[in-house]
Amino acid sequence: MESPVKAHRTRGALTPPAAPDGGYAWFILLSCFMVFGLTFGVIKAFGVFYVEIHQYFETTATGTSWITSIAVATIHVVAPGATALSEHYSHRSVVTMGGLICSLGVVIGAFARNLTELYLTVGFLNGFGCALIWTPTVTMLGFYFERRRPMANALSSAGECIFTFILTPLFQLLIDSYSWRGAMMILGGLQLNLCVCGMLLRPLKANREMIHLSKVKAEEEGLSLELLAKEDLGQDKPSNLWSEELRISDGADHETSACCEVGEIDQAPEEMPNVTMMVQDSNSRAKRAELTTKIRRYVDYTLITNPQFMVYSMFGLFAAFGFFAPALFLVPYARSKGIGEYEAATLMSITAVLDLFGRVFFGWVANLKLMETVCLCLRVKTRPTAF
């Protein structure tokens, strides 16, 4: 019969499935394209709603801008939790649920009576749904693309630019036709398509074995120690029984031998606590290894020791400060300067076209692998901030 250690080794020897870089991977790319458009594309085009909400509630510019700020902050804060949920359940179920929450938040926000209700619905609830959608979808894209991953990331993020280009004038048309409340209800229905994007996220066949790979390796050492200690304990018991039988059979004929055997029996219980402590120690180490593996499965805290990861994280932090603000305030600023409604919306569409060109071009350059991706990303992103 195959031992448990050998069985664990057999399971742990499974290799991760190769990224197909084609076939169904293009449907994953399409799903990610739609997700970028219906989440971040909507946030960038929300500047059109900004003007109408600002005038309707007669509030300050700061109070109105908190709607988008809460949504963006919620996306970044909830993103690690979304990753853990997708690992525990599935990417498909988490994204589908996020699409429902996203749509529900916008539809309820259409009936808001004050800014506080908009903060809770369009801000927090919609941002919470976007967090459940965005992170698992981008993760699934990485599973399906390896050789063409830079280009796949560029094409998928291009959905944000294309949707911004289309939605900005479309939102202005809907507001003129149905008011900002009616336009927001239509937007909520449009975001229901995020559930369809979630249904497209079919996992690779061997993904479950990949998840258990690190767990098997972590537990293997503790399991081996436990079995070894139990085997030693099992070997001690027959020797003690044999000495007991020998003492009874020899009886009065071999008193000296009997005394020696009794001495061995008396010493055996003294060795038993040591064996028991070894078993308990191996069990505790196995439990600690299992707990550590479970935690690292959801949150790999060891990444903080990686300098490149920390530099990239700092880049993401500072880039987020100025990523959405220009898009949100461009249309209101143009309107305050006397530019017409649709002309102001066209400005946002022009920036989306240039953004699209930059994403696709630098994605193509990154796919050439002329330099490391991290260095390329830092150079591209830090140069505009120098002016």
Side-chain angles (χ1 to χ4, degrees), residues 45-262:
F46 198 79
V48 179
F49 287 95
Y50 176 95
V51 178
E52 302 299 326
I53 294 173
H54 176 68
Q55 294 176 352
Y56 183 86
F57 290 105
E58 297 179 352
T59 184
T60 62
T62 303
T64 309
S65 63
W66 269 108
I67 300 173
T68 307
S69 299
I70 293 174
V72 174
T74 305
I75 291 173
H76 288 85
V77 171
V78 179
T83 304
L85 288 174
S86 62
E87 287 289 338
H88 188 269
Y89 297 101
S90 68
H91 294 73
R92 177 179 290 173
S93 59
V94 172
V95 173
T96 304
M97 182 59 65
L100 292 174
I101 295 174
C102 214
S103 175
L104 186 63
V106 175
V107 171
I108 296 176
F111 300 95
R113 296 165 294 182
N114 50 58
L115 280 179
T116 303
E117 294 180 358
L118 284 174
Y119 295 158
L120 295 175
T121 54
V122 182
F124 176 75
L125 203 59
N126 186 261
F128 187 84
C130 289
L132 295 180
I133 296 166
W134 180 64
T135 310
T137 306
V138 175
T139 304
M140 184 63 71
L141 185 69
F143 287 159
Y144 274 84
F145 286 94
E146 183 174 356
R147 182 171 54 87
R148 300 174 179 173
R149 186 176 296 168
M151 197 61 186
N153 287 329
L155 291 175
S156 61
S157 64
E160 176 185 332
C161 309
I162 294 176
F163 272 75
T164 303
F165 175 81
I166 297 173
L167 292 179
T168 307
L170 177 62
F171 285 163
Q172 188 62 59
L173 177 63
L174 293 174
I175 289 172
D176 292 341
S177 303
Y178 305 105
S179 78
W180 69 270
R181 295 184 183 274
M184 198 168 286
M185 292 187 66
I186 295 174
L187 172 60
L190 185 64
Q191 286 189 321
L192 278 176
N193 289 286
L194 291 168
C195 299
V196 180
C197 297
M199 297 303 295
L200 289 174
L201 299 182
R202 185 178 69 187
L204 290 174
K205 292 182 179 180
N207 271 353
R208 293 299 176 185
E209 286 80 357
M210 289 173 58
I211 291 172
H212 289 291
L213 183 61
S214 59
K215 180 179 178 181
V216 168
K217 289 182 178 179
E219 292 179 345
E220 189 176 22
E221 182 180 356
L223 182 61
S224 301
L225 291 173
E226 182 179 355
L227 289 176
L228 181 61
K230 289 182 178 179
E231 288 176 1
D232 293 340
L233 180 61
Q235 290 175 359
D236 289 340
K237 288 181 179 179
S239 62
N240 295 334
L241 291 174
W242 177 82
S243 59
E244 179 70 18
E245 291 175 358
L246 181 61
R247 184 180 65 84
I248 295 173
S249 60
D250 290 347
D253 297 333
H254 300 86
E255 294 180 357
T256 305
S257 300
C259 291
C260 295
E261 296 300 334
V262 170

Side-chain angles (χ1 to χ4, degrees), residues 76 312-326 381 385:
H76 288 85
Y312 186 76
S313 298
M314 294 304 296
F315 145 74
L317 175 64
F318 289 109
F321 287 156
F323 190 72
F324 294 100
K381 293 297 184 180
T385 60

Side-chain angles (χ1 to χ4, degrees), residues 279-290:
V279 174
Q280 291 177 351
D281 184 58
S282 62
N283 288 337
S284 62
R285 275 188 288 181
K287 290 180 180 179
R288 284 197 300 269
E290 183 179 0

